[in-house]
Amino acid sequence: MLQQTPASPPVSDLAIPHAEGVSNDEFRAAMSRLAAGVVLVTAHDPDDGPRGEDVGMTATAFVSVSLDPPLVLVSLRNGSRMDDLLTDVPVWAVSILGENQRHIAGRFAMKNRVSDRLLFADLPYTRGEESGAPLMGGALATLECRTESRVVAGDHTLVVGRVLTVGAVAPAGGPLTYYQGKYRQLS
């Protein structure tokens, strides 16, 4: 009797290990075990139309870097609209999202969207005095930042920002977190 060898599964670029021996899938699976806070990074593009346009992006790669001076870091995909905008616009904002703001995170995480203008249309926000960028109403806290440095790291750019203002610190409520590919609440 002739034994058949099972067909090999299709090989994708994601399953091919890098020179270091770790595939994209393996790395993604390992990093999904790290819980992260969720923020909305926003900026105002003054050159887009007669009044400009607001741009927003959900991020989970956001950390505090320094207390003196106050610095934060956000990781942006190279070539993304936010990466391109923050190359030219030196001031931007961050809204630290609360557990009840999952809809905002999901809305600004969508790929291939046509316009951010519609995404902001029904959301409560104020405009930052330093950045002119939207600061989400109901956020746990908001920050306005000025870019201090940019470092290209693989397929992302790490943007270090000096914190210019802190506001809208919510009195209660837990953070929105991202863990194993899903938005979650602390319990």
Side-chain angles (χ1 to χ4, degrees):
M1 188 167 185
L2 185 63
Q3 280 190 319
Q4 285 189 323
T5 305
S8 299
V11 177
S12 74
D13 290 342
L14 297 177
I16 298 172
H18 296 280
E20 294 79 14
V22 177
S23 73
N24 291 359
D25 286 341
E26 291 170 320
F27 182 65
R28 185 176 289 116
M31 295 312 297
S32 76
R33 301 306 194 268
L34 177 65
V38 182
V39 302
L40 180 66
V41 179
T42 57
H44 182 74
D45 183 355
D47 297 330
D48 193 350
R51 291 190 196 145
E53 184 174 15
D54 296 322
V55 177
M57 179 198 90
T58 301
T60 56
F62 177 79
V63 295
S64 168
V65 174
S66 169
L67 184 59
D68 187 17
L71 300 173
V72 294
L73 178 145
V74 66
S75 179
L76 307 174
R77 181 177 293 284
N78 293 341
S80 67
R81 179 144 187 224
M82 188 62 72
D83 179 40
D84 291 344
L85 181 57
L86 293 190
T87 299
D88 299 326
V89 174
V91 288
W92 41 281
V94 175
S95 297
I96 300 173
L97 299 179
E99 60 194 4
N100 63 340
Q101 294 180 308
R102 181 185 302 216
H103 64 289
I104 295 172
R107 182 182 290 195
F108 286 92
M110 291 187 308
K111 295 183 191 242
N112 303 321
R113 56 187 192 252
V114 177
S115 169
D116 284 12
R117 184 171 282 122
L118 297 174
L119 299 180
F120 284 103
D122 63 342
L123 295 175
Y125 67 87
T126 59
R127 202 163 284 287
E129 290 182 23
E130 295 289 330
S131 66
L135 303 169
M136 287 297 110
L140 296 181
T142 59
L143 311 167
E144 289 185 276
C145 306
R146 181 182 64 240
T147 299
E148 291 277 308
S149 63
R150 297 171 56 86
V151 177
V152 175
D155 59 2
H156 279 66
T157 298
L158 307 177
V159 179
V160 176
R162 181 180 295 251
V163 178
L164 304 172
T165 68
V166 174
V169 178
L176 181 61
T177 59
Y178 193 72
Y179 180 71
Q180 291 189 320
K182 296 179 183 174
Y183 296 117
R184 303 190 187 245
Q185 298 174 348
L186 295 180
S187 49

